[in-house]
Amino acid sequence: MATWTFLGLQDGASPLMEQLIFFHDHIMVVLIMIITFVGYMLASVLTNSLINRFMLEHQTIELIWTAVPAIILIFIALPSLRLLYLLDEVNNPSITLKTVGHQWYWSYEYSDFLNVEFDSYMTPTNELDLSGFRLLDVDNRTVLPMNTQIRIVITAADVIHSWTVPALGVKADAIPGRLNQTSFLMSRPGLFYGQCSEICGANHSFMPIVIESVNTNSFLNWISSYSD
């Protein structure tokens, strides 16, 4: 999870988030090269009184400053399109999780199991353990197995919300009367925190998300104990 003064992206906990981080780094390299070159040219123009009289009206320089940006855009667009299609792909999910946004809490339903559904509220500050995180911990965590393709179906009961977990690279709007779906696969165990990312009213800041990634046996034990 992000900490104070942390300016980078969170460590990826899913293959999709790792690809998003790679793409971010790729764009940053391109931007640094462009900024360095433009900065050098500006400094050169401001400090140098000499000019090239053959370049004042010349086709070569016009060809260069048209072709080079087009090539740079191609190097940005191709990985971007690939990533867009990867994010939109749902690959034979093993588990379906239904999420409903309310003012101001989340409801979860494990559609593949009978009578496994619960509400998840933010834990009040006065009830937090010493190891808890203010505004991020919840009373009922969403337990899911790692290394398993998971489909999440998202909707809302009142206003527009947004179900977002940065470490998983997942962000999907919860819209009343409409079902949105996305999928992810968690590559490691742990706790992954998120929050509603759509302004949804007075307590918008107080509806966090906590995903607990466990191994398959622990998940099955949790499901069986919950069903009992």
Side-chain angles (χ1 to χ4, degrees):
M1 62 177 290
T3 53
W4 183 250
T5 72
F6 185 74
L7 299 179
L9 298 170
Q10 296 184 29
D11 292 337
S14 71
L16 290 178
M17 187 57 192
E18 291 172 1
Q19 291 294 317
L20 285 168
I21 293 172
F22 291 153
F23 180 65
H24 170 269
D25 295 343
H26 169 72
I27 295 296
M28 288 302 297
V29 170
V30 174
L31 285 177
I32 290 170
M33 291 172 60
I34 292 173
I35 292 170
T36 303
F37 176 73
V38 172
Y40 168 77
M41 293 300 293
L42 283 174
S44 177
V45 167
L46 292 173
T47 58
N48 190 355
S49 60
L50 302 175
I51 61 171
N52 187 334
R53 63 192 179 91
F54 298 107
M55 279 293 190
L56 293 179
E57 293 183 6
H58 207 280
Q59 299 298 318
T60 305
I61 189 64
E62 293 187 10
L63 177 64
I64 291 172
W65 71 40
T66 302
V68 171
I71 294 171
I72 292 173
L73 287 176
I74 290 173
F75 274 94
I76 293 174
L78 291 180
S80 175
L81 288 172
R82 169 182 169 272
L83 193 53
L84 280 174
Y85 280 100
L86 280 176
L87 290 170
D88 203 37
E89 192 71 28
V90 178
N91 297 313
N92 297 323
S94 301
I95 293 177
T96 298
L97 175 68
K98 181 181 177 183
T99 302
V100 182
H102 304 267
Q103 288 182 309
W104 289 271
Y105 64 95
W106 297 98
S107 295
Y108 296 97
E109 177 184 331
Y110 290 76
S111 305
D112 304 297
F113 306 94
L114 294 176
N115 301 322
V116 182
E117 54 185 81
F118 55 86
D119 297 331
S120 180
Y121 289 85
M122 183 192 76
T123 305
T125 305
N126 58 350
E127 297 178 12
L128 272 178
D129 298 330
L130 291 176
S131 59
F133 294 104
R134 178 177 172 272
L135 301 183
L136 286 177
D137 264 313
V138 296
D139 55 356
N140 289 313
R141 294 172 178 169
T142 307
V143 181
L144 292 169
M146 58 182 285
N147 295 324
T148 302
Q149 193 70 35
I150 297 162
R151 173 175 57 193
I152 178 165
V153 179
I154 303 163
T155 187
D158 35 49
V159 299
I160 298 176
H161 302 275
S162 185
W163 198 85
T164 306
V165 182
L168 301 178
V170 176
K171 183 179 188 296
D173 286 343
I175 302 173
R178 174 173 175 173
L179 287 177
N180 286 335
Q181 78 167 4
T182 186
S183 69
F184 58 88
L185 181 146
M186 294 178 291
S187 53
R188 57 187 172 90
L191 292 176
F192 307 118
Y193 294 87
Q195 290 176 299
C196 177
S197 297
E198 187 74 38
I199 296 176
C200 56
N203 292 332
H204 158 67
S205 302
F206 308 123
M207 47 185 305
I209 301 158
V210 181
I211 302 294
E212 183 174 354
S213 175
V214 298
N215 60 48
T216 305
N217 289 334
S218 298
F219 173 74
L220 292 176
N221 292 334
W222 177 83
I223 282 289
S224 59
S225 65
Y226 194 93
S227 300
D228 294 339

